[in-house]
Amino acid sequence: MARSGMFERALLLRACADSFAKMDPRVLVRNPVMFVVEIGMVVTLALTVDPRLFGSSVHPGGVGNARLYDLVVTLILLITILFGNFAEALAEGRGKAQAEALRRTKTELMAVVQRGDEYQEIPASALRKGDVVKVVAGELIPADGDVIEGVGSVDESAITGESAPVIRGAGGDFSSVTGGTKLLSDELIIRVSANPGETFLDRMISLVEGASRQKTPNEIALSVLLAGLTLIFLIVIDCLPPIARALGAHMDVATLVALLVCLIPTTIGALLSAIGIAGMDRVIRFNVIAKSGKAVEAAGDVNTLILDKTGTITIGNRMAAAFLPVQGQTNHTLAESAALCSLFDETPEGRSVVELAQSVGVTFRREEYSNTRNVEFSADTRMSGLDLTNGTRLRKGAADAVKRYVIEQGGDIPRDLDEIVERVAKEGGTPLVVVQNTEIQGVIYLKDIVKPGIRERFKELREMGIRTVMCTGDNPLTAATIAREAGVDEFVAEAKPEDKMRLIRREQEQGRLVAMSGDGTNDAPALAQADVGLAMQSGTQAAKEAANMVDLDSDPTKLIEIVSIGKQLLITRGAITTFSIANDVAKYFAIIPAMFTSFIPALGVLNVMHLSSPKSAILSALIFNAIIIPLLIPLAMRGVKYRPTSAMSLLMRNLVLYGLGGVLAPFVGIKIIDMILSVCGMA
């Protein structure tokens, strides 16, 4: 999937245009703070035309000076709104760029659809849910669907960005295919699962564009807080004119509007939407589609993380870890037989046996055994192997299957075989017994390999306050071994779909937020129940529909990154909110003393900035209020870097870095702007 830089020329130009479009009051009313700023701009614009409107007394400098002052205030308010809109438009623009990259994968295809006993070619856009289509190697899959016949290799790079093809086949959890992907081998018969406009790609485009993005509960709560603060300061500003008249001070409407805009939390109000959209964008950059901002933010509050074992905690394939010869056999002899058995075995397990044999000095070349008969694994025999040209038969397989094979051939079972097999099983491994003709030579110890670094990642989650639970269908012995190696907090063995649901509900009843990953139809109920459900793109349609996130790379471990992104979103919002409120506190000390010192000399002690005049104080604060928004856009878009630590540490870091910074920045910035205005003769 294409990636978009934060400040690419095309994105900036589109964001600039969208900034003006978002000035529509019907759009801006969704942001109460910026809507108040827009109303204030309309008022000052009207005053620019006629300074005597709204019963205003003309500024002592005369009508001309009043118009100029009102015009300057109007322009600054306009810039403030545009900067706020620009932040949101830039965040949305990045999502739209992602959507356009996806849309380029949609081309008009032809489909070979079944009509009665025949197949006929029709445009893919004419396909309907339930149609059956045939796709052969080299063709693009015309629509979303489920494979009902055949097995083939599919290139999904156009959708996921990953170059490695995946296997799709009838039945099981890997039957789902996506329109626009390419079949590389064999032939598939597919039943279409979506009507035109309802495909997974269509939904992804809509989701990425953020057109239906809903605000999260925390975002709504913050919006209510901002609206409340805005209302409070409206009341405060409304009380200032009678106070000013009592003191003999001049207080025109434009100054009141400017003062209101300076005091209400415009910084966080302008950046709030951008922060939420950028959070979704950060998830998209990990090739994960979030169906709403709520899912991303919920990830930041997750307390319990439920993960499957295979493919999540372990690498997904059991690998040969050791050769265990029975009494009377040598490790070298066992390694030779095991390597020959696996010479033509293309499974990961088979290749790992050959690699293990090579590590002990046993190497064979395929070319030398080209005339041998390769016996592939089958569900009936539960064995595989090689028949050599000299009549030697080599087999490896499940212990009970090999024992039955040896007994049928008139051979004997070594007395220590069962002990070795049982020991491997207790350690959580899979024993493969190797036999040459009728003579059992020993056991290949296949082991679930825990992913490198996974233990450290679980430790990181623990530092975040997140408990990890491994769910597996394996027996308790195997589950306990893997859980101990991986460092998870708990495990559930022999888990069925009902067990996962009960676990999630139990956690939620205790007030915890739960995240889980899954890819099968049997995972769908649990994915729907979880607060954060991550479905694999390689999984079934049911799983993808049930989850609130879809991972295009089918990597369940991304839940860890998603949790970090959710935490980062919450911390970013908290940091900018802290900065904004501290910013407003500083502006109070900049503006109020400068405006009233001449009438209330006692306020002079608070006039630490010694601004040139009340007019300069207002304009300087208003200009600073506008320019701080674009300066914070990179922080809102990129997010505050998250480090696993306690809530108290995060709070102290926010207060020191963003609270203290929010207090100091206005003092410095407003004073510099005041000096510039004085030089320009506008003070």
Side-chain angles (χ1 to χ4, degrees):
M1 189 182 293
R3 299 285 184 259
S4 301
M6 187 184 301
F7 297 116
E8 288 184 1
R9 179 181 172 84
L11 285 180
L12 291 174
L13 291 175
R14 176 157 49 181
C16 289
D18 289 346
S19 298
F20 286 93
K22 287 178 177 292
M23 289 191 67
D24 185 336
R26 294 169 297 181
V27 175
L28 207 59
V29 73
R30 292 177 297 183
N31 188 332
V33 176
M34 300 311 292
F35 184 62
V36 168
V37 177
E38 185 172 50
I39 293 174
M41 185 199 71
V42 172
V43 171
T44 56
L45 179 62
L47 287 170
T48 303
V49 177
D50 185 356
R52 294 183 177 83
L53 284 175
F54 312 114
S56 300
S57 59
V58 176
H59 192 275
V63 174
N65 283 339
R67 281 201 174 110
L68 177 61
Y69 176 69
D70 294 340
L71 177 61
V72 171
V73 171
T74 301
L75 292 176
I76 297 173
L77 294 182
L78 172 62
I79 292 170
T80 302
I81 298 168
L82 290 176
F83 281 161
N85 290 347
F86 179 79
E88 183 175 4
L90 186 60
E92 290 177 349
R94 297 175 73 188
K96 289 176 181 177
Q98 297 279 1
E100 288 177 0
L102 288 171
R103 195 172 278 115
R104 284 195 292 270
T105 67
K106 294 189 65 175
T107 56
E108 183 56 46
L109 306 176
M110 298 301 291
V112 178
V113 64
Q114 186 177 28
R115 292 288 185 257
D117 295 331
E118 299 179 348
Y119 283 94
Q120 57 181 267
E121 192 173 60
I122 65 171
S125 58
L127 290 173
R128 293 294 180 269
K129 186 175 180 179
D131 283 345
V132 175
V133 298
K134 178 171 67 176
V135 184
V136 300
E139 293 181 348
L140 292 177
I141 295 173
D144 290 4
D146 296 299
V147 179
I148 58 176
E149 186 179 325
V151 178
S153 176
V154 179
D155 177 6
E156 296 185 339
S157 59
I159 303 297
T160 67
E162 294 296 315
S163 58
V166 295
I167 302 299
R168 294 287 180 262
D173 291 341
F174 297 93
S175 61
S176 176
V177 292
T178 304
T181 57
K182 186 175 183 179
L183 181 63
L184 300 178
S185 68
D186 304 288
E187 178 179 296
L188 298 179
I189 305 298
I190 300 167
R191 178 176 286 112
V192 176
S193 60
N195 289 316
E198 301 174 356
T199 66
F200 181 68
L201 187 56
D202 289 317
R203 290 195 300 276
M204 281 199 300
I205 292 171
S206 175
L207 291 169
V208 169
E209 286 179 323
S212 59
R213 190 185 79 89
Q214 295 180 328
K215 287 189 175 182
T216 64
N218 282 343
E219 197 172 354
I220 292 171
L222 186 54
S223 295
V224 171
L225 173 64
L226 298 182
L229 289 173
T230 301
L231 180 60
I232 289 171
F233 284 114
L234 274 170
I235 296 172
V236 170
I237 295 300
D238 190 51
C239 294
L240 283 180
I243 295 174
R245 282 195 297 270
L247 295 172
H250 175 77
M251 183 80 60
D252 56 70
V253 175
T255 296
L256 290 172
V257 170
L259 187 60
L260 174 64
V261 171
C262 287
L263 297 184
I264 63 176
T266 49
T267 306
I268 185 62
L271 297 173
L272 185 59
S273 295
I275 295 169
I277 296 170
M280 292 181 69
D281 179 70
R282 283 194 288 277
V283 174
I284 291 168
R285 281 181 279 156
F286 277 90
N287 253 10
V288 174
I289 300 297
K291 296 183 179 180
S292 74
K294 288 183 180 180
V296 181
E297 187 165 308
D301 286 326
V302 162
N303 309 108
T304 303
L305 184 58
I306 299 175
L307 306 101
D308 288 329
K309 174 182 73 71
T310 305
T312 304
I313 294 173
T314 64
I315 61 176
N317 299 298
R318 298 192 170 198
M319 313 297 283
F323 295 123
L324 306 174
V326 296
Q327 190 172 5
Q329 298 289 334
T330 66
N331 193 70
H332 191 271
T333 302
L334 173 59
E336 285 184 335
S337 297
L340 283 172
C341 280
S342 307
L343 196 58
F344 295 96
D345 186 348
E346 292 297 336
T347 65
E349 292 87 350
R351 290 196 295 270
S352 74
V353 172
V354 173
E355 290 170 2
L356 182 61
Q358 290 173 346
S359 70
V360 297
V362 175
T363 304
F364 295 103
R365 298 178 62 188
R366 284 189 176 189
E367 295 80 5
E368 298 174 0
Y369 293 87
S370 58
N371 294 326
T372 58
R373 175 175 172 265
N374 180 40
V375 180
E376 294 186 356
F377 177 86
S378 73
D380 293 331
T381 64
R382 297 168 65 206
M383 295 188 299
S384 63
L386 203 66
D387 289 342
L388 304 181
T389 53
N390 62 6
T392 300
R393 300 186 307 279
L394 299 163
R395 298 289 186 273
K396 71 176 192 292
D400 57 339
V402 172
K403 287 165 65 175
R404 186 168 55 250
Y405 170 80
V406 170
I407 292 172
E408 289 174 354
Q409 300 295 321
D412 297 321
I413 307 300
R415 283 179 294 181
D416 59 339
L417 177 64
D418 288 341
E419 179 187 343
I420 296 173
V421 168
E422 185 177 351
R423 186 170 77 245
V424 171
K426 284 184 177 179
E427 292 177 1
T430 300
L432 285 184
V433 178
V434 178
V435 59
Q436 179 176 314
N437 295 325
T438 60
E439 183 181 25
I440 292 178
Q441 296 181 321
V443 174
I444 304 171
Y445 181 0
L446 289 182
K447 182 181 179 182
D448 263 323
I449 306 298
V450 173
K451 290 182 176 180
I454 198 76
R455 189 180 185 90
E456 290 73 22
R457 301 188 81 187
F458 287 148
K459 180 182 178 183
E460 183 180 332
L461 284 170
R462 201 170 294 112
E463 291 172 352
M464 294 180 188
I466 298 172
R467 199 170 94 266
T468 53
V469 182
M470 180 185 77
C471 280
T472 176
D474 286 335
N475 63 70
L477 287 173
T478 301
T481 301
I482 298 301
R484 185 170 55 253
E485 289 185 21
V488 296
D489 298 307
E490 295 180 20
F491 69 89
V492 178
E494 298 176 342
K496 302 178 180 64
E498 299 81 12
D499 299 322
K500 295 179 183 179
M501 285 285 291
R502 278 194 292 270
L503 174 61
I504 292 172
R505 285 174 177 163
R506 186 186 71 200
E507 294 289 318
Q508 291 172 331
E509 286 169 2
Q510 294 174 1
R512 300 188 182 101
L513 266 70
V514 182
M516 79 156 291
S517 66
D519 57 7
T521 300
N522 62 339
D523 292 323
L527 286 167
Q529 180 69 35
D531 300 285
V532 178
L534 179 66
M536 305 297 101
Q537 161 65 359
S538 61
T540 62
Q541 193 67 29
K544 289 184 281 189
E545 291 289 349
N548 51 23
M549 291 188 186
V550 179
D551 177 19
L552 302 182
D553 296 330
S554 301
D555 177 8
T557 60
K558 279 191 190 171
L559 266 174
I560 298 174
E561 277 81 16
I562 292 168
V563 168
S564 295
I565 291 170
K567 296 271 187 192
Q568 186 186 38
L569 188 153
L570 293 174
I571 292 168
T572 301
R573 187 176 294 144
I576 294 182
T577 301
T578 302
F579 183 91
S580 179
I581 293 174
N583 204 29
D584 291 337
V585 171
K587 283 184 287 187
Y588 304 156
F589 285 95
I591 301 172
I592 302 299
M595 290 184 62
F596 291 99
T597 296
S598 59
F599 305 100
I600 308 177
L603 288 177
V605 70
L606 298 178
N607 190 19
V608 294
M609 298 179 67
H610 303 291
L611 301 179
S612 302
S613 67
K615 179 180 176 182
S616 175
I618 287 288
L619 291 179
S620 298
L622 201 57
I623 293 171
F624 176 84
N625 196 62
I627 64 176
I628 198 65
I629 294 173
L631 291 178
L632 289 175
I633 287 177
L635 180 64
M637 299 284 285
R638 188 172 54 247
V640 175
K641 187 174 182 180
Y642 172 70
R643 298 180 183 87
T645 184
S646 66
M648 183 56 67
S649 297
L650 287 174
L651 177 61
M652 292 305 298
R653 180 172 180 266
N654 268 358
L655 289 176
V656 172
L657 185 59
Y658 298 101
L660 186 60
V663 170
L664 295 178
F667 279 99
V668 176
I670 291 174
K671 183 60 179 178
I672 292 173
I673 295 170
D674 174 69
M675 293 169 63
I676 294 173
L677 291 178
S678 296
V679 171
C680 296
M682 298 183 65

